[in-house]
Structures are given as C-alpha cells and as structure tokens.
Amino acid sequence: GNSVTQMEGPVTLSEEAFLTINCTYTATGYPSLFWYVQYPGEGLQLLLKATKADDKGSNKGFEATYRKETTSFHLEKGSVQVSDSAVYFCALIMIKAAGNKLTFGGGTRVLVKP
Amino acid sequence: GAGVSQSPRYKVAKRGQDVALRCDPISGHVSLFWYQQALGQGPEFLTYFQNEAQLDKSGLPSDRFFAERPEGSVSTLKIQRTQQEDSAVYLCASSFRLAGEITDTQYFGPGTRLTVL
C-alpha cells in the first residue's frame, strides 16, 4: 500500500536557523504530495503542495520539491521564527475517481526557541 | 466564510457507551472525509462521502463505527460500544471538487478529542 515516512522529532532550533524536515513516500502510481501544519490548539492547515515531478511548492517561506527519482518531498525554510513552532505532516494523495483520501506521515514536531 | 466545524470538541465516554460526533463542512463542499488521529501519530483515513453517498469506508476499524451524511451536508460519525482503543482525535475535512481540478484542497476542522475510560 501507500505510505509516507518522515523524520521523527522533536526538532529544536534557534530563531533564524535553517530547517529541513525529510519526507519520503512509497506509492503504487503517481501521487500528489502535501505538507500540512498543525499549530498549537489549531486544526490542520495546508502549507504547500506539488502535483507532478520537479514541481516546487512554496508558502510562508517554506519550500518543498517533488523528487520522483528519490521519492522525496523534503520541507525547508531558510530562517525560522518562533511562530513556526508546530507539528508538520507530510502526506500524499493517489488521484482516483472515488475520492482523494490523504495518507499522512507520523508528523514532526518543531520547536523554535528565541 | 466559516470553516469546517466539529462538535463536541471534547467527549469523555465510559467504555461500552455509544457516542456521536458531528461535522459541519464548508457550505457547498461536496466531498467530506473522516480521519482518526491517535496521540503522537498522523491522521488515518476512516471514510469518504461525495454528497450523501458513502463511496469509501475502507478505513473504518470495525463494525462498531458508522458514518452518515443523509442530506449531503452535515455528517455524523457514530461509535457503538466504545473501547479504550477508540480514544483519539477524530478529524473531519471537506473539499469542493472543481471540474477539471485533479487535486482540491481538503479543509480540516478542529477535531473532536474522544477519551474512553
């Protein structure tokens, strides 16, 4: 079946540090890829997405590139802020007529210290 | 406009009780999903509706779990004879499937945290 593996946390960083969260996937076919973020006390929010190989999704200073050859979708941000403290989930969808259910990784907690 | 809302936000049940969790999707969204998120883990798919039709219920863990969306808007997830392993956050998401758009965004509600004692 389809699966997503992401690095375990927590990841603790200082403000303005560089952040990378690794994500790899296994899928029978050609998925669309997503990063969702869950801020403390809030629901899941879409952060960015990419639907085909070599696409780069970007939002709020975060970027991720769909790498088909390495089945990866690593999340990066060049300079994190305290407000980026959250849990980040990598996910995929296999497009089919009956619906687009998300398959999530286990989540990576990020804590940014001032 | 309003986002996806869920109620109650917190539910404590004694083992063996039945519970009902409600989801109000974004108005006009035809697709509705339920996910289960255990503590410290990623959400896992339970079931999917397109309007009132339940097209995929492959993720429901047992026949104690039942979901409905009778008028194609509000949905209810019912769990009968709750067990301790049912303790989790139950997330609802909706999406508006636009013609020609192959990947439409799922918008999530805040979830219902169920604790079974």
Side-chain angles (χ1 to χ4, degrees):
Chain A
N2 304 319
S3 66
V4 175
T5 302
Q6 57 183 110
M7 59 189 291
E8 291 190 17
V11 175
T12 303
L13 303 165
S14 297
E15 210 164 18
E16 300 184 0
F18 184 86
L19 170 67
T20 299
I21 304 176
N22 290 338
C23 171
T24 57
Y25 68 87
T26 301
T28 52
Y30 201 173
S32 292
L33 301 174
F34 303 80
W35 278 99
Y36 277 81
V37 59
Q38 191 169 38
Y39 297 104
E42 298 184 18
L44 277 169
Q45 302 174 24
L46 178 66
L47 182 59
L48 53 83
K49 69 180 183 183
T51 58
K52 60 183 187 293
D54 300 324
D55 264 3
K56 178 184 285 188
S58 60
N59 187 25
K60 299 182 179 180
F62 289 89
E63 292 183 341
T65 301
Y66 188 166
R67 300 290 188 198
K68 187 166 182 273
E69 63 277 11
T70 55
T71 62
S72 65
F73 193 53
H74 304 322
L75 182 69
E76 297 181 337
K77 185 173 185 181
S79 177
V80 294
Q81 305 299 313
V82 172
S83 57
D84 294 323
S85 298
V87 182
Y88 294 81
F89 293 93
C90 186
L92 66 81
I93 279 178
M94 299 303 299
I95 305 301
K96 59 180 182 178
N100 301 340
K101 62 184 178 185
L102 285 157
T103 298
F104 286 91
T108 302
R109 182 175 299 276
V110 173
L111 177 61
V112 181
K113 296 186 174 180
Chain B
V4 178
S5 61
Q6 293 185 246
S7 61
R9 291 292 309 276
Y10 303 91
K11 177 70 179 177
V12 178
K14 293 183 179 179
R15 191 169 53 138
Q17 284 184 332
D18 297 349
V19 298
L21 313 180
R22 177 186 169 106
C23 172
D24 284 81
I26 294 172
S27 178
H29 279 196
V30 300
S31 296
L32 186 145
F33 303 81
W34 283 98
Y35 295 85
Q36 179 190 58
Q37 186 177 16
L39 187 64
Q41 298 183 22
E44 293 191 355
F45 170 80
L46 293 177
T47 187
Y48 161 69
F49 291 85
Q50 185 164 308
N51 295 307
E52 68 278 4
Q54 189 174 20
L55 299 185
D56 188 346
K57 51 182 181 179
S58 62
L60 296 176
S62 77
D63 59 7
R64 296 186 295 104
F65 287 71
F66 172 77
E68 60 183 5
R69 194 186 184 198
E71 298 179 357
S73 56
V74 171
S75 177
T76 303
L77 176 67
K78 297 179 180 178
I79 309 173
Q80 298 176 326
R81 304 181 304 281
T82 52
Q83 304 294 315
Q84 285 187 323
E85 61 264 28
D86 299 334
S87 295
V89 176
Y90 291 85
L91 299 171
C92 176
S94 70
S95 68
F96 178 60
R97 187 139 187 210
L98 299 175
E101 182 172 350
I102 62 171
T103 307
D104 46 335
T105 298
Q106 292 185 27
Y107 296 88
F108 282 80
T112 295
R113 182 178 297 278
L114 173 65
T115 302
V116 181
L117 303 177

